[in-house]
Amino acid sequence: MKDFFRILKYVKPYLGYAGLNIFFNIFNILFSLVSITMIIPFLGLLFGTQQKVYNPIDLGFSATAIKENFYALITSIIDDKGKAEALVFVCILILVMFFFRNLCRYLALYFLSPIRNGVVCDLRNDLNKKILSLPISFFTEKRKGDITARMTTDLVEIEWSVMSSLEMFFKDPINIIIFLITLIIISPQLTLFVVILFPITGFLIALIGKSLKKSSAKGQNKMGQLLSIIDENLSGLRIIKAFDAEKRIHEKFAKESAAYKNIMTRLLRKKDLSSPMSEFLSTIVLVMVMWFGGKLVLGGNSPLSPEEFIGYIVIFSQIIPPVKSFTSAYYFIQKGSASAARIHEILDTENDIQDAPNAKSISTFVEEIKFKGVTFSYENKEVLKDINLSIKKGETVALVGQSGSGKSTLADLISRFYDVKIGAVQIDGENIKNLKIADLRKLMGIVNQESILFNDSIYNNILLGKATATKQDVESAAMVANAHDFILQCENGYQTNIGDSGVKLSGGQRQRLSIARAILKNPPILILDEATSSLDARSEKLVQDALNNLMKLRTSIVIAHRLSTVQHADRIIVLHEGEIVESGTHQQLIASCGHYKKLYDLEDFS
Ligand code: ADP
Ligand code: MG
């Protein structure tokens, strides 16, 4: 329930609508109450037992005053025009009441819609904002599908369960209370009897609710796993087909899918139990009321006339639907709480890479980037050990070493994708933890092995480098990146949509777009992480030219896959198992016959 109340906080901006909803609900209930109580005079007229009232007490807000005045009105119609006319009058009154009742019902729902969708929309936006702000390390722990599930199916669950229950939550209690008061007015004795039976029903209902919540949490987790598999399958489709693994992959999916089906079947069965059970329970109560009340009427000296008793039963039967929907609302909330908890888990994740309280601005890079005794580990695995390194402005520094030696990690530390725990990374003598993250990242341009592009036009993909750039800026960036010519050959030039992650382009073309994006950003520091390693020789040449243009006059950290591409770097740093084992120029390192020489020879022979 805690999670449900937290979701309710999102209703706050919509309190005005909530007020209107409650307002119209109250009128809805009052109109339906009045139209139902009409059954009493209606029966009275039919059976000829209608009470005649000639001198009613003054009209006021007490039940007796309203009743007496109404009966006086009917009496005068009977006396003046006859019973048939009075019957018409009562019927028309019922019709009018029902019309207003339904009008109010619609208006109540009308004002509920913006709350329902508004809350879900606000939650969704909060979630997205949170996900964008969380550090990269969060996403290696959580599977993508699980996060997708939380953002989609869990939100839908909240919309359908929690939000649809809101209506019942606002309406049913008022409904039940008003009807109960009417019942007490008609017959306090009988009503006392009813109220005693309530707690027993409540207990049974709560029991089912708890078990529903557990199943629902299971179901949503399973859905997350399913979405993870779908996500992996989609991105690995090429490999699945190439290895002829469709059948195996499908079997794995079908197994999870069946597990989800079983959980959901169990869940639905439990949920479906709620309605028949509460109906049967309320029927027990109803039958006992019929028996007890019937005895009162038959007894002769009861204060209850037969038509009043029938009216009582009709009103009582009208309490059953709201009680039923109130219990289903309770079930829905229990079920939705599981989803709410999953959403809160993300919203509550602490972001440990954030601006320090009085973080400093930085707009230029003047001197050097410095690693001072940096040791870094992912969870328990030490990846970098006591790194001391200084990169002067304007220098091109190459990082080489076997795969897994920690090169990418070292580069990630500079842009604070991960935070250093031991030692420090400094820019111009300032620990980067004391700088504003946005400012720090503005200083850097990053080109990775896989070009990260978005399903949008070529133009907008480049524009991501600098939102304020003009068309001319974008085109000249593309020219420097050797991309302008191929872009013009695309079907719609710069406005061509490149498809999901740029699938419509070749690897080299994608890479040149990411380079154009970095050129447009025009950062003083460049980080190239194996930017050409996935390309064939011909496109590598084009991309390498583009990169050389990009590196001109900048400080660059180049992580290289092929040593041939970094021979001209000012300094080459050799990493081995997380440690810097050598550094120097190509000639120096070859001459010293160490790790670099070995790597170089390996490459020569391959
Ligand atoms: P390189 O770029 O030199 O190939 P990386 O810096 O990517 O090496 O990785 C260094 C080591 O850290 C590897 O052993 C790798 O398995 C591990 N590693 C990389 N990223 C993560 C991560 N997010 N969580 C845990 N271990 C990681
Ligand atoms: Mg790497």
Side-chain angles (χ1 to χ4, degrees):
M1 278 316 242
K2 191 177 85 241
D3 289 297
F4 169 69
F5 285 116
R6 218 176 120 186
I7 296 281
L8 275 194
K9 284 204 190 118
Y10 278 85
V11 177
K12 225 172 179 184
Y14 307 98
L15 275 185
Y17 287 122
L20 282 168
N21 173 271
I22 293 174
F23 176 82
F24 283 109
N25 267 332
I26 291 178
F27 275 90
N28 167 15
I29 295 159
L30 286 177
F31 280 121
S32 57
L33 180 69
V34 173
S35 47
I36 290 163
T37 36
M38 284 302 159
I39 192 93
I40 298 175
F42 175 76
L43 290 174
L45 281 169
L46 282 188
F47 297 145
T49 51
Q50 175 60 35
Q51 252 181 309
K52 295 209 167 172
V53 176
Y54 287 103
N55 294 309
I57 53 172
D58 285 340
L59 189 60
F61 272 110
S62 81
T64 9
I66 294 174
K67 187 174 133 192
E68 285 210 354
N69 279 281
F70 181 70
Y71 281 179
L73 184 66
I74 290 193
T75 310
S76 72
I77 295 176
I78 294 174
D79 287 350
D80 292 352
K81 299 193 175 121
K83 279 189 183 169
E85 287 289 321
L87 201 62
V88 171
F89 171 73
V90 171
C91 287
I92 289 175
L93 210 56
I94 291 177
L95 202 64
V96 171
M97 290 298 158
F98 264 98
F99 173 75
F100 280 110
R101 170 192 159 171
N102 282 293
L103 183 69
C104 287
R105 195 167 96 180
Y106 176 69
L107 285 173
L109 286 176
Y110 183 88
F111 290 112
L112 189 73
S113 297
I115 308 181
R116 211 180 135 135
N117 294 309
V119 167
V120 174
C121 175
D122 293 348
L123 254 175
R124 189 167 42 223
N125 290 345
D126 274 6
L127 260 181
N128 194 48
K129 227 196 270 167
K130 183 75 192 190
I131 284 172
L132 289 179
S133 81
L134 281 173
I136 292 186
S137 57
F138 176 78
F139 300 95
T140 47
E141 285 158 30
K142 287 255 178 310
R143 301 182 74 181
K144 236 159 93 195
D146 182 60
I147 294 172
T148 318
R150 289 173 204 239
M151 284 209 68
T152 51
T153 52
D154 280 305
L155 271 181
V156 171
E157 175 66 37
I158 288 197
E159 184 187 349
W160 283 106
S161 64
V162 180
M163 290 300 130
S164 1
S165 322
L166 267 190
E167 135 96 333
M168 304 175 201
F169 231 69
F170 287 151
K171 192 172 104 184
D172 297 333
I174 309 173
N175 202 336
I176 295 169
I177 290 169
I178 293 182
F179 274 59
L180 258 184
I181 292 174
T182 318
L183 289 182
I184 292 174
I185 291 171
I186 301 180
S187 172
Q189 269 169 299
L190 261 179
T191 313
L192 184 71
F193 195 74
V194 174
V195 171
I196 291 172
L197 292 162
F198 273 10
I200 304 168
T201 339
F203 172 76
L204 283 172
I205 287 165
L207 217 63
I208 297 188
K210 266 225 182 90
S211 123
L212 256 178
K213 186 176 169 184
K214 249 181 31 213
S215 300
S216 173
K218 265 196 227 154
Q220 292 295 342
N221 280 333
K222 207 21 108 197
M223 190 32 124
Q225 289 169 3
L226 268 180
L227 284 175
S228 282
I229 296 179
I230 292 172
D231 182 74
E232 276 173 12
N233 287 355
L234 283 179
S235 46
L237 212 51
R238 202 174 269 274
I239 300 296
I240 295 175
K241 286 186 189 296
F243 283 88
D244 193 26
E246 287 100 329
K247 194 156 160 260
R248 244 175 309 147
I249 297 280
H250 179 71
E251 273 164 11
K252 190 172 147 205
F253 182 83
K255 206 176 120 209
E256 294 290 323
S257 185
Y260 180 69
K261 178 195 75 183
N262 292 339
I263 293 175
M264 290 318 275
T265 306
R266 237 171 294 149
L267 182 77
L268 274 187
R269 284 186 176 154
K270 276 183 203 166
K271 191 182 75 76
D272 290 338
L273 188 61
S274 75
S275 178
M277 200 183 79
S278 57
E279 184 165 308
F280 186 67
L281 284 172
S282 38
T283 313
I284 294 179
V285 181
L286 183 69
V287 168
M288 289 176 89
V289 166
M290 282 162 68
W291 168 72
F292 189 70
K295 241 174 51 172
L296 281 183
V297 174
L298 288 180
N301 52 359
S302 91
L304 216 55
S305 68
E307 67 262 26
E308 269 177 331
F309 179 55
I310 294 177
Y312 184 95
I313 288 178
V314 172
I315 295 172
F316 182 80
S317 67
Q318 293 298 305
I319 284 195
I320 295 175
V323 168
K324 238 166 74 182
S325 80
F326 190 66
T327 46
S328 3
Y330 171 76
Y331 289 144
F332 273 135
I333 287 167
Q334 287 293 334
K335 197 163 152 266
S337 284
S339 288
R342 281 162 54 84
I343 283 174
H344 289 148
E345 214 173 270
I346 291 192
L347 289 178
D348 292 343
T349 307
E350 247 180 275
N351 187 351
D352 48 6
I353 299 189
Q354 270 182 329
D355 280 344
N358 32 28
K360 291 183 194 144
S361 304
I362 180 168
S363 54
T364 50
F365 169 57
V366 279
E367 208 184 327
E368 63 168 358
I369 302 168
K370 196 166 188 173
F371 280 73
K372 278 175 103 178
V374 170
T375 296
F376 181 81
S377 20
Y378 292 111
E379 284 117 54
N380 302 320
K381 189 170 156 217
E382 203 164 78
V383 175
L384 292 175
K385 287 174 209 122
D386 194 31
I387 301 289
N388 287 289
L389 173 67
S390 155
I391 300 163
K392 296 266 181 299
K393 185 182 167 127
E395 237 186 333
T396 297
V397 170
L399 292 178
V400 301
Q402 285 162 342
S403 136
S405 54
K407 306 177 299 282
S408 301
T409 307
L410 196 141
D412 281 349
L413 293 181
I414 303 175
S415 41
R416 271 193 87 187
F417 286 146
Y418 296 92
D419 258 347
V420 174
K421 303 264 163 32
I422 304 167
V425 181
Q426 299 177 331
I427 285 189
D428 293 341
E430 187 68 57
N431 189 331
I432 55 172
K433 283 189 186 174
N434 299 329
L435 298 172
K436 286 191 180 142
I437 296 174
D439 285 359
L440 176 74
R441 291 187 185 153
K442 254 189 217 132
L443 297 178
M444 306 191 191
I446 298 173
V447 180
N448 283 47
Q449 178 176 353
E450 295 133 36
S451 22
I452 312 280
L453 298 172
F454 298 91
N455 188 345
D456 201 340
S457 62
I458 290 178
Y459 186 85
N460 284 340
N461 264 292
I462 300 179
L463 199 68
L464 198 73
K466 187 180 169 200
T468 54
T470 62
K471 187 158 180 277
Q472 196 140 38
D473 296 336
V474 171
E475 282 181 18
S476 46
M479 270 178 220
V480 181
N482 281 340
H484 185 69
D485 292 336
F486 92 76
I487 295 173
L488 288 187
Q489 279 162 21
C490 289
E491 165 189 14
N492 296 317
Y494 277 84
Q495 294 311 324
T496 311
N497 186 295
I498 59 168
D500 247 358
S501 329
V503 279
K504 293 193 206 159
L505 300 175
S506 77
Q509 291 172 332
R510 283 205 291 268
Q511 203 57 315
R512 279 178 277 160
L513 284 191
S514 353
I515 293 169
R517 186 168 66 193
I519 290 173
L520 188 66
K521 185 176 178 184
N522 194 18
I525 301 167
L526 255 189
I527 297 170
L528 307 178
D529 190 347
E530 308 199 359
T532 57
S533 63
S534 60
L535 305 179
D536 57 87
R538 215 182 76 82
S539 33
E540 181 172 355
K541 168 97 186 52
L542 279 170
V543 172
Q544 194 59 51
D545 287 346
L547 285 173
N548 290 342
N549 290 338
L550 175 61
M551 290 193 302
K552 256 177 225 153
L553 305 173
R554 278 178 236 266
T555 314
S556 316
I557 296 155
V558 185
I559 297 173
H561 170 69
R562 275 187 276 279
L563 300 186
S564 57
T565 56
V566 291
Q567 284 178 12
H568 307 293
D570 297 321
R571 199 146 44 99
I572 298 170
I573 311 281
V574 185
L575 275 175
H576 183 71
E577 294 181 354
E579 282 176 288
I580 297 182
V581 285
E582 280 176 86
S583 79
T585 60
H586 175 68
Q587 279 76 18
Q588 285 168 344
L589 292 174
I590 291 288
S592 71
C593 283
H595 281 272
Y596 184 80
K597 178 78 165 52
K598 265 189 239 157
L599 287 171
Y600 188 77
D601 289 343
L602 274 177
E603 197 164 291
D604 247 10
F605 288 119
S606 57

